[in-house]
Amino acid sequence: MEQGLRLFLDGLGALQPADRARAARTTARAWADDLAEGHFVDLDRILVPMAAGHRTPEVIFVDGLHFAALCPHHLLPVRGIVRLAYQPRERIAPLGQLARLVEAASRRLILQEDLAELVADVMVRSL
């Protein structure tokens, strides 16, 4: 990744050679450790459902889960808000785990509609 970024920065010609190498190194680290870290996370391990119990709500609705993803076509940020709803059966997911699932799934190169499908697939498998 660092080598590719160096080539990209060379193509721009906007930085001095020493600055290009440093920028490539720090940018590669930022992508691996933050912007695209979701590619290195096993999403199926995030949700640890609990037994629903005898007072299971008819619908669980979570609103206002902000996300930032990267468009795979342009490598530019995409921001949005996720609203989740599901009808629990025998098991329910803690709300914090649903938020972590959205965060991890969005930290990758992914289209918004693919993000929605990915989160839904993990929820179906886990719940």
Side-chain angles (χ1 to χ4, degrees), residues 5-22:
L5 286 163
R6 231 183 260 128
L7 289 171
F8 171 77
L9 292 170
D10 286 345
L12 282 177
L15 300 173
Q16 296 298 319
D19 293 332
R20 287 183 208 149
R22 187 172 35 259

Side-chain angles (χ1 to χ4, degrees), residues 92-108:
I92 60 173
L95 300 180
Q97 290 178 13
L98 292 172
R100 281 194 295 283
L101 172 61
V102 168
E103 175 70 18
S106 69
R107 293 296 182 154
R108 46 183 64 203

Side-chain angles (χ1 to χ4, degrees), residues 7 17 28 34 37 41 55 63 77 87 111 115-116:
L7 289 171
D34 185 29
E37 70 180 335
V41 174
R55 296 187 315 170
D63 191 12
Q87 185 175 13
L111 295 171
L115 173 62

Side-chain angles (χ1 to χ4, degrees), residues 36-88:
E37 70 180 335
H39 287 286
F40 310 107
V41 174
D42 182 354
L43 300 178
D44 288 313
R45 292 181 172 257
I46 293 175
L47 293 184
V48 181
M50 306 179 309
H54 65 282
R55 296 187 315 170
T56 304
E58 289 185 28
V59 175
I60 294 178
F61 182 72
V62 183
D63 191 12
L65 299 176
H66 294 260
F67 75 90
L70 291 167
C71 172
H73 302 129
H74 307 98
L75 301 181
L76 294 173
V78 176
R79 297 187 184 280
I81 300 173
V82 171
R83 293 173 178 90
L84 294 175
Y86 71 97
Q87 185 175 13

